[in-house]
Amino acid sequence: QVQLVQSGAEVRKPGASVKVSCKASGYTFTNYDISWVRQAPGQGLEWMGWISGYNGNTNYAQKFQGRVTVTTDTSTNTAYIELRSLRSDDTALYYCARKVVGTTYFDYWGQGTMVIVSS
Amino acid sequence: QSVLTQPPSVSGAPGQRVTISCTGSGSNFGAGFDVHWYQQLPGTAPKLLIYGNTNRPSGVPDRFSGSKSGTSASLAITGLQAEDEADYYCQSYDSSLSGVVFGGGTKLTVL
């Protein structure tokens, strides 16, 4: 069965960076894209970017360009998101989700990783 | 302010039918991009409910249906059940932003 298992919660100070992982299993990793979506406490869903599992091409939301990097390691079927220059409003639950190539929807989601930014 | 506009909340009694609207614009729905819907139960990750405007993934009851016309879309839930109480999000792609956009979410309360 398809599974996306994310790394554990992180606490960072403002200005620091954080890197969250998402390990995929149960499907051919290179046949799908991985997207990242975050959700601030009590708020809605916010798309951050996606990466092709096939060739590593990325597409980032304009809001995060220059501050986010999404990568993959096809040897371990793992995707990563790194967010830099953290601010308190980056405190959120970060989800990875599988995206079918050529479409824009997300059919499987990870369990989420809580990132807390606090001094 | 979300690119896709949803009502903050809707409610209905068990067995009733409710609809959740999602209003877009010419750069998303109007440009031909599909709408997708997700259900988020309290404390859990979102779950794909409807994709490609009208399609249900395997395992999603046929009580859930989606539609899209022009720059608007809607999700209908018939035979409302207590377990349907959740947040619902619409999602599409926006050509002006060159990225994925979500609605602000609608909280469904089963009375």
Side-chain angles (χ1 to χ4, degrees):
Chain A
Q1 72 283 20
V2 174
Q3 280 195 305
L4 299 173
V5 178
Q6 299 183 224
S7 50
E10 303 273 10
V11 180
R12 294 286 187 273
K13 294 188 182 303
S17 299
V18 69
K19 192 170 186 176
V20 176
S21 67
C22 170
K23 183 170 177 58
S25 62
Y27 72 96
T28 302
F29 185 74
T30 52
N31 287 354
Y32 293 83
D33 302 333
I34 291 287
S35 193
W36 289 90
V37 176
R38 76 177 187 180
Q39 186 171 36
Q43 302 301 308
L45 303 173
E46 181 176 36
W47 176 73
M48 300 181 71
W50 74 52
I51 186 166
S52 164
Y54 174 68
N55 58 19
N57 286 348
T58 55
N59 181 23
Y60 298 129
Q62 292 176 5
K63 173 178 178 177
F64 298 103
Q65 283 182 6
R67 204 162 67 94
V68 69
T69 302
V70 176
T71 56
T72 58
D73 181 346
T74 55
S75 69
T76 59
N77 292 345
T78 303
Y80 301 89
I81 185 168
E82 181 181 31
L83 188 60
R84 300 175 291 277
S85 302
L86 289 167
R87 306 184 289 257
S88 58
D89 62 358
D90 289 318
T91 293
L93 199 51
Y94 288 73
Y95 292 104
C96 63
R98 191 181 81 164
K99 185 181 88 62
V100 178
V101 173
T103 73
T104 57
Y105 64 88
F106 311 126
D107 60 351
Y108 287 91
W109 294 64
Q111 83 277 18
T113 295
M114 188 68 205
V115 174
I116 297 172
V117 182
S118 174
S119 55
Chain B
Q1 191 83 357
S2 301
V3 172
L4 304 180
T5 302
Q6 298 180 234
S9 63
V10 297
S11 62
Q16 284 190 333
R17 178 182 186 268
V18 297
T19 61
I20 297 173
S21 63
C22 178
T23 303
S25 66
S27 58
N28 40 70
F29 296 163
F33 292 105
D34 290 342
V35 64
H36 319 296
W37 292 89
Y38 302 87
Q39 176 193 59
Q40 187 175 33
L41 297 169
T44 69
K47 168 191 167 186
L48 182 64
L49 202 60
I50 299 287
Y51 67 95
N53 303 322
T54 60
N55 303 292
R56 285 186 310 275
S58 173
V60 173
D62 59 6
R63 301 187 296 105
F64 295 90
S65 63
S67 65
K68 177 189 155 219
S69 178
T71 58
S72 293
S74 64
L75 172 72
I77 310 171
T78 59
L80 206 56
Q81 300 179 3
E83 67 204 48
D84 298 334
E85 191 159 285
D87 293 324
Y88 292 84
Y89 293 91
C90 59
Q91 177 244 309
S92 186
Y93 185 88
D94 191 278
S95 56
S96 294
L97 297 173
S98 297
V100 168
V101 290
F102 284 96
T106 298
K107 182 176 180 59
L108 169 63
T109 300
V110 180
L111 302 171

